[in-house]
Amino acid sequence: MILVTGGAGFIGSNFVVDWLDCRDEPVVNLDKLTYAGNLQALATLSGNEKHIFVKGDICDGSLVSHLLDKYRPRAVINFAAESHVDRSIHGPGDFIQTNVVGTFHLLESMRAYWNTLTDVERGAFRFLHISTDEVYGSLAPDEAPFTESNRYEPNSPYSASKAASDHLVRAWHHTYGLPVLTTNCSNNYGPYHFPEKLIPLIILNALAGKPLPVYGDGMQVRDWLYVKDHCSAIRCVLESGRVGETYNIGGWNEKTNIEVVRTLCRILDELAPRTDTSSYIQQIQFIADRPGHDRRYAIDAGKLERELGWKPKETFESGIYKTVKWYLTNQEWVNNVISGTYREWVKTQYG
Ligand code: NAD
Ligand code: TYD
Protein backbone atom coordinates (compact mmCIF):
# COMPACT_ATOMS: atom_id res chain seq x y z
CA MET A 1 0.00 0.00 0.00
CA ILE A 2 1.20 3.51 -0.84
CA LEU A 3 -0.33 6.84 0.15
CA VAL A 4 -0.43 9.60 -2.44
CA THR A 5 -1.43 13.21 -1.69
CA GLY A 6 -2.79 15.49 -4.42
CA GLY A 7 -3.68 12.48 -6.56
CA ALA A 8 -6.66 14.22 -8.19
CA GLY A 9 -4.47 16.94 -9.72
CA PHE A 10 -2.69 16.93 -13.05
CA ILE A 11 0.46 14.93 -12.26
CA GLY A 12 -0.96 13.03 -9.28
CA SER A 13 -3.92 11.63 -11.25
CA ASN A 14 -1.66 10.53 -14.10
CA PHE A 15 0.63 8.92 -11.52
CA VAL A 16 -2.16 7.01 -9.72
CA VAL A 17 -3.68 5.70 -12.96
CA ASP A 18 -0.28 4.62 -14.33
CA TRP A 19 0.68 3.06 -10.99
CA LEU A 20 -2.41 0.86 -10.91
CA ASP A 21 -1.82 -0.05 -14.55
CA CYS A 22 1.63 -1.43 -13.90
CA ARG A 23 1.63 -2.38 -10.19
CA ASP A 24 -0.50 -4.62 -8.03
CA GLU A 25 -0.14 -2.40 -4.97
CA PRO A 26 -3.16 -0.38 -3.70
CA VAL A 27 -3.13 3.42 -3.43
CA VAL A 28 -4.75 5.64 -0.82
CA ASN A 29 -5.31 8.98 -2.50
CA LEU A 30 -5.72 12.01 -0.17
CA ASP A 31 -6.80 15.17 -1.99
CA LYS A 32 -8.56 18.33 -0.85
CA LEU A 33 -10.22 18.76 -4.28
CA THR A 34 -9.37 22.42 -4.70
CA TYR A 35 -10.22 24.06 -8.04
CA ALA A 36 -7.24 22.07 -9.48
CA GLY A 37 -8.38 18.65 -8.27
CA ASN A 38 -10.83 16.72 -10.36
CA LEU A 39 -12.16 13.23 -9.74
CA GLN A 40 -13.01 12.87 -13.43
CA ALA A 41 -9.30 12.46 -14.08
CA LEU A 42 -9.64 9.24 -12.05
CA ALA A 43 -12.87 8.05 -13.70
CA THR A 44 -11.19 4.98 -15.23
CA LEU A 45 -10.56 3.74 -11.67
CA SER A 46 -14.19 3.79 -10.59
CA GLY A 47 -15.00 0.42 -9.00
CA ASN A 48 -11.31 -0.44 -8.64
CA GLU A 49 -10.84 -1.62 -5.05
CA LYS A 50 -7.13 -0.86 -5.21
CA HIS A 51 -7.89 2.88 -5.34
CA ILE A 52 -9.12 4.38 -2.07
CA PHE A 53 -9.98 8.06 -2.42
CA VAL A 54 -10.18 10.29 0.66
CA LYS A 55 -11.21 13.94 0.42
CA GLY A 56 -9.10 15.87 2.91
CA ASP A 57 -6.36 18.37 3.60
CA ILE A 58 -2.68 17.58 4.19
CA CYS A 59 -2.78 20.34 6.85
CA ASP A 60 -5.19 18.15 8.86
CA GLY A 61 -2.64 16.28 10.98
CA SER A 62 -5.19 14.08 12.74
CA LEU A 63 -6.70 12.92 9.43
CA VAL A 64 -3.25 12.14 7.99
CA SER A 65 -2.27 10.27 11.18
CA HIS A 66 -5.53 8.32 11.07
CA LEU A 67 -4.90 7.30 7.44
CA LEU A 68 -1.33 6.26 8.19
CA ASP A 69 -2.43 4.15 11.18
CA LYS A 70 -5.33 2.60 9.28
CA TYR A 71 -3.61 1.74 5.99
CA ARG A 72 0.03 1.42 7.17
CA PRO A 73 1.60 2.47 3.84
CA ARG A 74 5.19 1.57 3.00
CA ALA A 75 5.60 4.89 1.17
CA VAL A 76 4.03 8.34 0.94
CA ILE A 77 4.31 10.49 -2.20
CA ASN A 78 3.48 14.16 -1.79
CA PHE A 79 2.03 15.81 -4.92
CA ALA A 80 -0.41 18.05 -3.01
CA ALA A 81 0.37 21.71 -3.60
CA GLU A 82 -0.85 24.99 -4.91
CA SER A 83 0.99 24.96 -8.22
CA HIS A 84 0.27 27.99 -10.40
CA VAL A 85 2.81 30.85 -10.39
CA ASP A 86 0.32 33.50 -11.57
CA ARG A 87 -2.12 32.60 -8.79
CA SER A 88 0.73 32.80 -6.27
CA ILE A 89 1.35 36.40 -7.41
CA HIS A 90 -2.32 37.34 -6.91
CA GLY A 91 -2.67 35.52 -3.57
CA PRO A 92 0.36 33.88 -1.93
CA GLY A 93 -1.43 32.89 1.30
CA ASP A 94 -2.77 29.53 0.09
CA PHE A 95 0.71 28.65 -1.20
CA ILE A 96 2.29 29.18 2.21
CA GLN A 97 -0.53 27.25 3.88
CA THR A 98 -0.55 24.12 1.69
CA ASN A 99 3.02 24.01 0.39
CA VAL A 100 4.84 24.98 3.60
CA VAL A 101 2.49 24.38 6.55
CA GLY A 102 0.91 21.35 4.84
CA THR A 103 4.29 19.72 4.21
CA PHE A 104 5.22 20.38 7.85
CA HIS A 105 2.06 18.65 9.12
CA LEU A 106 2.60 15.75 6.74
CA LEU A 107 6.18 15.33 7.96
CA GLU A 108 5.14 15.42 11.60
CA SER A 109 2.35 12.84 11.12
CA MET A 110 4.74 10.65 9.17
CA ARG A 111 7.48 10.93 11.77
CA ALA A 112 5.08 9.78 14.51
CA TYR A 113 3.88 6.87 12.32
CA TRP A 114 7.40 5.92 11.23
CA ASN A 115 8.47 5.66 14.88
CA THR A 116 5.81 2.99 15.46
CA LEU A 117 7.18 0.71 12.70
CA THR A 118 9.46 -2.29 13.19
CA ASP A 119 13.17 -1.83 12.32
CA VAL A 120 12.70 -3.58 8.97
CA GLU A 121 9.64 -1.47 8.11
CA ARG A 122 11.41 1.72 9.15
CA GLY A 123 14.32 0.90 6.86
CA ALA A 124 12.03 0.20 3.91
CA PHE A 125 9.74 3.23 4.40
CA ARG A 126 10.07 6.17 1.95
CA PHE A 127 8.66 9.68 1.81
CA LEU A 128 8.97 11.02 -1.74
CA HIS A 129 8.45 14.78 -2.02
CA ILE A 130 7.58 16.10 -5.48
CA SER A 131 9.16 19.47 -6.16
CA THR A 132 10.05 21.77 -9.02
CA ASP A 133 13.06 23.13 -10.91
CA GLU A 134 11.72 26.63 -10.15
CA VAL A 135 13.42 26.51 -6.71
CA TYR A 136 16.76 27.13 -8.48
CA GLY A 137 15.68 30.50 -9.88
CA SER A 138 16.43 31.81 -13.36
CA LEU A 139 19.34 30.92 -15.69
CA ALA A 140 21.21 33.26 -18.05
CA PRO A 141 21.12 32.13 -21.72
CA ASP A 142 24.66 30.70 -21.61
CA GLU A 143 24.49 29.09 -18.13
CA ALA A 144 24.62 25.30 -17.72
CA PRO A 145 21.28 23.59 -16.84
CA PHE A 146 20.43 23.13 -13.15
CA THR A 147 22.12 20.26 -11.36
CA GLU A 148 21.18 19.03 -7.88
CA SER A 149 23.97 21.16 -6.39
CA ASN A 150 22.72 24.49 -7.78
CA ARG A 151 21.92 27.09 -5.12
CA TYR A 152 18.26 27.59 -4.25
CA GLU A 153 17.23 31.05 -5.53
CA PRO A 154 13.41 31.00 -5.76
CA ASN A 155 11.85 34.15 -7.22
CA SER A 156 8.06 33.72 -7.08
CA PRO A 157 5.82 33.09 -4.05
CA TYR A 158 5.15 29.64 -5.58
CA SER A 159 8.80 28.67 -5.97
CA ALA A 160 9.69 30.15 -2.55
CA SER A 161 6.97 28.02 -0.92
CA LYS A 162 8.21 24.89 -2.74
CA ALA A 163 11.82 25.71 -1.74
CA ALA A 164 10.71 26.04 1.89
CA SER A 165 8.98 22.66 1.72
CA ASP A 166 12.12 21.05 0.24
CA HIS A 167 14.15 22.44 3.16
CA LEU A 168 11.69 21.01 5.68
CA VAL A 169 11.91 17.58 4.02
CA ARG A 170 15.72 17.76 4.10
CA ALA A 171 15.70 18.77 7.78
CA TRP A 172 13.33 15.95 8.82
CA HIS A 173 15.82 13.52 7.25
CA HIS A 174 18.94 15.02 8.81
CA THR A 175 17.42 15.62 12.22
CA TYR A 176 15.02 12.72 12.68
CA GLY A 177 16.34 10.19 10.16
CA LEU A 178 13.06 10.06 8.17
CA PRO A 179 13.91 8.22 4.90
CA VAL A 180 13.10 10.91 2.35
CA LEU A 181 13.67 11.46 -1.37
CA THR A 182 13.08 14.71 -3.24
CA THR A 183 12.58 15.17 -6.97
CA ASN A 184 12.80 18.54 -8.75
CA CYS A 185 11.08 18.40 -12.10
CA SER A 186 10.75 20.75 -15.05
CA ASN A 187 7.46 21.87 -16.68
CA ASN A 188 5.10 18.96 -17.34
CA TYR A 189 2.49 18.73 -20.08
CA GLY A 190 -0.01 16.07 -21.18
CA PRO A 191 -3.55 14.80 -20.44
CA TYR A 192 -5.60 16.38 -17.62
CA HIS A 193 -3.48 19.54 -17.44
CA PHE A 194 -5.64 22.28 -15.94
CA PRO A 195 -6.28 24.98 -18.57
CA GLU A 196 -4.79 27.84 -16.52
CA LYS A 197 -1.30 26.65 -17.60
CA LEU A 198 0.29 27.65 -20.90
CA ILE A 199 -0.16 24.55 -23.11
CA PRO A 200 -3.82 23.67 -22.39
CA LEU A 201 -4.76 27.37 -22.25
CA ILE A 202 -3.37 27.95 -25.74
CA ILE A 203 -5.11 24.86 -27.17
CA LEU A 204 -8.49 25.80 -25.71
CA ASN A 205 -8.25 29.51 -26.54
CA ALA A 206 -7.25 28.67 -30.10
CA LEU A 207 -10.25 26.38 -30.59
CA ALA A 208 -12.58 28.99 -29.04
CA GLY A 209 -11.30 31.69 -31.43
CA LYS A 210 -9.86 33.69 -28.50
CA PRO A 211 -6.51 35.54 -28.28
CA LEU A 212 -3.46 33.39 -27.43
CA PRO A 213 -1.81 35.36 -24.59
CA VAL A 214 2.01 35.38 -24.64
CA TYR A 215 3.69 37.21 -21.77
CA GLY A 216 6.33 39.83 -22.63
CA ASP A 217 8.44 38.98 -25.67
CA GLY A 218 7.71 35.22 -25.45
CA MET A 219 11.43 34.44 -25.36
CA GLN A 220 11.35 32.88 -21.87
CA VAL A 221 12.66 29.32 -21.92
CA ARG A 222 11.20 26.28 -20.17
CA ASP A 223 12.24 22.61 -20.25
CA TRP A 224 9.20 20.45 -21.07
CA LEU A 225 8.56 16.87 -19.91
CA TYR A 226 5.64 14.66 -20.92
CA VAL A 227 3.72 13.84 -17.72
CA LYS A 228 3.88 10.04 -18.24
CA ASP A 229 7.68 10.32 -18.33
CA HIS A 230 7.56 12.22 -15.04
CA CYS A 231 5.45 9.40 -13.55
CA SER A 232 7.96 6.74 -14.68
CA ALA A 233 10.81 8.78 -13.18
CA ILE A 234 8.96 8.98 -9.85
CA ARG A 235 8.43 5.19 -9.80
CA CYS A 236 12.12 4.74 -10.55
CA VAL A 237 13.26 7.10 -7.74
CA LEU A 238 10.82 5.51 -5.28
CA GLU A 239 12.22 2.05 -6.06
CA SER A 240 15.93 2.74 -6.33
CA GLY A 241 16.70 6.31 -5.21
CA ARG A 242 19.27 6.74 -2.45
CA VAL A 243 17.70 7.91 0.81
CA GLY A 244 18.26 11.61 1.55
CA GLU A 245 19.16 12.40 -2.08
CA THR A 246 17.50 14.79 -4.50
CA TYR A 247 17.06 13.98 -8.19
CA ASN A 248 16.40 16.45 -11.01
CA ILE A 249 13.90 15.25 -13.62
CA GLY A 250 13.69 16.85 -17.05
CA GLY A 251 12.98 16.19 -20.70
CA TRP A 252 16.09 17.72 -22.30
CA ASN A 253 13.60 19.89 -24.22
CA GLU A 254 14.36 23.59 -23.87
CA LYS A 255 11.87 25.70 -25.81
CA THR A 256 10.96 29.37 -25.84
CA ASN A 257 7.32 30.07 -25.04
CA ILE A 258 6.70 31.51 -28.48
CA GLU A 259 8.12 28.33 -30.07
CA VAL A 260 5.72 26.25 -27.97
CA VAL A 261 2.75 28.42 -28.91
CA ARG A 262 3.62 28.36 -32.64
CA THR A 263 4.07 24.56 -32.51
CA LEU A 264 0.61 24.19 -30.94
CA CYS A 265 -0.87 26.43 -33.66
CA ARG A 266 0.70 24.35 -36.41
CA ILE A 267 -0.56 21.05 -34.96
CA LEU A 268 -4.05 22.52 -34.59
CA ASP A 269 -3.89 23.84 -38.17
CA GLU A 270 -3.38 20.22 -39.22
CA LEU A 271 -5.78 18.43 -36.85
CA ALA A 272 -8.58 21.00 -36.41
CA PRO A 273 -8.20 23.73 -39.06
CA ARG A 274 -9.98 27.05 -38.60
CA THR A 275 -13.12 27.37 -40.71
CA ASP A 276 -11.52 30.24 -42.67
CA THR A 277 -8.41 27.97 -43.20
CA SER A 278 -6.00 30.68 -41.97
CA SER A 279 -3.48 29.67 -39.27
CA TYR A 280 -4.19 29.87 -35.54
CA ILE A 281 -0.90 31.79 -35.39
CA GLN A 282 -2.84 34.96 -36.20
CA GLN A 283 -4.59 34.67 -32.80
CA ILE A 284 -1.27 35.16 -30.92
CA GLN A 285 -1.30 38.29 -28.78
CA PHE A 286 1.71 39.58 -26.82
CA ILE A 287 0.53 40.91 -23.45
CA ALA A 288 2.08 42.46 -20.30
CA ASP A 289 4.79 40.30 -18.77
CA ARG A 290 4.37 38.36 -15.52
CA PRO A 291 5.96 40.31 -12.59
CA GLY A 292 9.36 38.80 -11.70
CA HIS A 293 9.07 36.39 -14.64
CA ASP A 294 11.96 33.87 -14.60
CA ARG A 295 13.72 34.02 -17.96
CA ARG A 296 15.04 30.49 -18.31
CA TYR A 297 14.78 27.08 -16.63
CA ALA A 298 16.77 24.08 -17.84
CA ILE A 299 17.30 20.74 -16.13
CA ASP A 300 20.35 18.51 -16.19
CA ALA A 301 18.75 15.10 -15.56
CA GLY A 302 22.14 13.34 -15.83
CA LYS A 303 22.26 12.13 -12.22
CA LEU A 304 19.00 10.23 -12.60
CA GLU A 305 20.24 8.61 -15.80
CA ARG A 306 23.71 7.75 -14.44
CA GLU A 307 22.53 6.40 -11.07
CA LEU A 308 19.15 4.89 -11.85
CA GLY A 309 19.14 4.48 -15.64
CA TRP A 310 16.04 6.68 -16.24
CA LYS A 311 15.54 8.54 -19.50
CA PRO A 312 12.38 10.16 -20.93
CA LYS A 313 10.61 8.17 -23.67
CA GLU A 314 8.84 11.04 -25.44
CA THR A 315 10.46 13.79 -27.47
CA PHE A 316 8.75 17.17 -27.30
CA GLU A 317 7.45 16.62 -30.84
CA SER A 318 5.82 13.24 -30.05
CA GLY A 319 4.48 14.33 -26.64
CA ILE A 320 2.97 17.61 -27.79
CA TYR A 321 1.24 15.95 -30.72
CA LYS A 322 -0.33 13.35 -28.38
CA THR A 323 -1.37 16.13 -26.02
CA VAL A 324 -3.18 18.18 -28.67
CA LYS A 325 -4.97 15.03 -29.84
CA TRP A 326 -5.98 14.27 -26.24
CA TYR A 327 -7.54 17.72 -25.79
CA LEU A 328 -9.39 17.38 -29.08
CA THR A 329 -10.92 14.06 -28.06
CA ASN A 330 -11.63 14.91 -24.42
CA GLN A 331 -13.79 18.00 -24.73
CA GLU A 332 -16.13 16.66 -22.05
CA TRP A 333 -13.42 16.73 -19.37
CA VAL A 334 -12.44 20.21 -20.50
CA ASN A 335 -16.02 21.50 -20.38
CA ASN A 336 -16.42 20.11 -16.87
CA VAL A 337 -13.32 21.79 -15.45
CA ILE A 338 -14.10 25.14 -17.05
CA SER A 339 -16.39 25.98 -14.15
CA GLY A 340 -17.43 29.32 -12.69
CA THR A 341 -14.22 29.59 -10.62
CA TYR A 342 -12.14 28.98 -13.74
CA ARG A 343 -13.97 31.78 -15.56
CA GLU A 344 -13.39 34.11 -12.61
CA TRP A 345 -9.67 33.34 -12.75
CA VAL A 346 -9.49 34.12 -16.48
CA LYS A 347 -11.19 37.47 -15.81
CA THR A 348 -8.76 38.31 -12.98
CA GLN A 349 -5.69 37.39 -14.99
CA TYR A 350 -6.49 38.43 -18.55
CA GLY A 351 -9.21 41.08 -18.04
P1 NAD B 1 -2.17 20.59 -9.60
O1 NAD B 1 -2.39 22.00 -9.15
O2 NAD B 1 -2.74 20.16 -10.91
O3 NAD B 1 -2.73 19.57 -8.50
C1 NAD B 1 -2.54 19.74 -7.14
C2 NAD B 1 -3.48 18.79 -6.41
O4 NAD B 1 -3.26 18.95 -5.00
C3 NAD B 1 -4.96 19.07 -6.66
O5 NAD B 1 -5.65 17.86 -6.90
C4 NAD B 1 -5.44 19.72 -5.37
O6 NAD B 1 -6.81 19.46 -5.09
C5 NAD B 1 -4.53 19.06 -4.35
N1 NAD B 1 -4.34 19.88 -3.14
C6 NAD B 1 -4.07 21.21 -3.09
N2 NAD B 1 -3.97 21.60 -1.80
C7 NAD B 1 -4.16 20.49 -1.05
C8 NAD B 1 -4.17 20.25 0.36
N3 NAD B 1 -3.97 21.24 1.24
N4 NAD B 1 -4.38 18.99 0.80
C9 NAD B 1 -4.59 17.97 -0.08
N5 NAD B 1 -4.63 18.16 -1.41
C10 NAD B 1 -4.40 19.40 -1.88
O7 NAD B 1 -0.60 20.40 -9.54
P2 NAD B 1 0.33 19.47 -10.45
O8 NAD B 1 0.72 20.23 -11.65
O9 NAD B 1 -0.28 18.14 -10.57
O10 NAD B 1 1.61 19.39 -9.51
C11 NAD B 1 1.78 18.34 -8.56
C12 NAD B 1 3.10 18.55 -7.82
O11 NAD B 1 4.17 18.58 -8.76
C13 NAD B 1 3.17 19.89 -7.08
O12 NAD B 1 3.83 19.66 -5.86
C14 NAD B 1 3.99 20.78 -7.98
O13 NAD B 1 4.71 21.74 -7.23
C15 NAD B 1 4.93 19.76 -8.61
N6 NAD B 1 5.45 20.10 -9.96
C16 NAD B 1 4.57 20.44 -10.96
C17 NAD B 1 5.09 20.70 -12.23
C18 NAD B 1 4.18 21.05 -13.38
O14 NAD B 1 4.67 21.38 -14.48
N7 NAD B 1 2.86 20.94 -13.26
C19 NAD B 1 6.47 20.65 -12.46
C20 NAD B 1 7.31 20.31 -11.40
C21 NAD B 1 6.79 20.03 -10.15
P1 TYD C 1 3.04 28.07 -16.83
O1 TYD C 1 2.37 27.01 -17.64
O2 TYD C 1 2.21 28.94 -15.95
O3 TYD C 1 4.21 27.37 -15.99
P2 TYD C 1 5.43 28.04 -15.12
O4 TYD C 1 5.14 29.47 -14.88
O5 TYD C 1 5.38 27.22 -13.88
O6 TYD C 1 6.68 27.82 -15.94
O7 TYD C 1 3.81 29.01 -17.85
C1 TYD C 1 4.80 28.50 -18.71
C2 TYD C 1 5.43 29.70 -19.40
O8 TYD C 1 4.45 30.31 -20.24
C3 TYD C 1 5.89 30.78 -18.43
O9 TYD C 1 7.11 31.35 -18.91
C4 TYD C 1 4.78 31.81 -18.47
C5 TYD C 1 4.25 31.69 -19.88
N1 TYD C 1 2.81 31.98 -20.07
C6 TYD C 1 2.40 32.87 -21.07
O10 TYD C 1 3.23 33.43 -21.83
N2 TYD C 1 1.05 33.10 -21.21
C7 TYD C 1 0.12 32.54 -20.41
O11 TYD C 1 -1.10 32.84 -20.56
C8 TYD C 1 0.56 31.62 -19.39
C9 TYD C 1 -0.44 30.94 -18.48
C10 TYD C 1 1.91 31.36 -19.26
Side-chain angles (χ1 to χ4, degrees), residues 83-86 134 158 187 193 196-199 201-202 213-215 220 222 224 257 287 290 293-294 297 350:
S83 69
H84 188 35
V85 175
D86 293 322
E134 304 194 22
Y158 164 66
N187 286 56
H193 204 180
E196 64 187 352
K197 304 278 172 76
L198 180 71
I199 288 179
L201 182 92
I202 295 296
V214 174
Y215 297 161
Q220 304 82 4
R222 298 291 183 265
W224 292 95
N257 291 339
I287 63 168
R290 169 188 281 173
H293 198 170
D294 283 338
Y297 305 139
Y350 301 100

Side-chain angles (χ1 to χ4, degrees), residues 172-222:
W172 261 241
H173 172 63
H174 282 270
T175 305
Y176 305 113
L178 195 70
V180 306
L181 296 153
T182 299
T183 54
N184 295 87
C185 189
S186 59
N187 286 56
N188 283 219
Y189 67 98
Y192 300 108
H193 204 180
F194 194 77
E196 64 187 352
K197 304 278 172 76
L198 180 71
I199 288 179
L201 182 92
I202 295 296
I203 299 172
L204 300 191
N205 276 16
L207 293 171
K210 292 182 183 161
L212 311 181
V214 174
Y215 297 161
D217 62 3
M219 293 305 287
Q220 304 82 4
V221 173
R222 298 291 183 265

Side-chain angles (χ1 to χ4, degrees), residues 94-114:
D94 287 347
F95 288 72
I96 303 305
Q97 184 60 26
T98 284
N99 301 1
V100 186
V101 179
T103 304
F104 161 72
H105 284 298
L106 204 52
L107 285 164
E108 277 296 81
S109 300
M110 242 176 328
R111 182 162 75 92
Y113 164 69
W114 183 66

Side-chain angles (χ1 to χ4, degrees), residues 223-262:
D223 168 78
W224 292 95
L225 179 70
Y226 191 60
V227 65
K228 303 281 178 191
D229 277 329
H230 188 188
C231 296
S232 79
I234 294 167
R235 293 194 298 272
C236 174
V237 172
L238 183 65
E239 253 152 54
S240 319
R242 285 186 290 131
V243 167
E245 289 290 313
T246 67
Y247 293 91
N248 283 353
I249 307 175
W252 303 102
N253 280 315
E254 281 187 61
K255 303 279 174 209
T256 61
N257 291 339
I258 191 67
E259 249 182 297
V260 170
V261 173
R262 289 208 177 105

Side-chain angles (χ1 to χ4, degrees), residues 225-348:
L225 179 70
Y226 191 60
V227 65
K228 303 281 178 191
D229 277 329
H230 188 188
C231 296
S232 79
I234 294 167
R235 293 194 298 272
C236 174
V237 172
L238 183 65
E239 253 152 54
S240 319
R242 285 186 290 131
V243 167
E245 289 290 313
T246 67
Y247 293 91
N248 283 353
I249 307 175
W252 303 102
N253 280 315
E254 281 187 61
K255 303 279 174 209
T256 61
N257 291 339
I258 191 67
E259 249 182 297
V260 170
V261 173
R262 289 208 177 105
T263 302
L264 290 168
C265 289
R266 278 192 290 267
I267 300 173
L268 285 167
D269 287 342
E270 179 199 327
L271 297 179
R274 279 167 52 112
T275 44
D276 67 2
T277 68
S278 64
S279 173
Y280 287 102
I281 285 178
Q282 69 174 37
Q283 288 170 230
I284 293 175
Q285 208 171 89
F286 291 91
I287 63 168
D289 209 350
R290 169 188 281 173
H293 198 170
D294 283 338
R295 199 70 186 161
R296 175 174 167 241
Y297 305 139
I299 276 276
D300 179 341
K303 176 177 173 183
L304 188 51
E305 186 174 346
R306 278 190 310 277
E307 288 193 12
L308 310 184
W310 177 88
K311 270 201 291 200
K313 283 214 176 91
E314 300 290 343
T315 62
F316 184 70
E317 290 65 33
S318 63
I320 200 75
Y321 199 83
K322 278 188 188 176
T323 303
V324 174
K325 272 189 151 170
W326 188 88
Y327 277 90
L328 289 173
T329 50
N330 286 275
Q331 291 289 327
E332 200 189 324
W333 178 83
V334 171
N335 293 338
N336 284 329
V337 298
I338 300 184
S339 62
T341 44
Y342 173 75
R343 290 205 189 91
E344 266 165 45
W345 163 251
V346 170
K347 234 188 267 163
T348 311

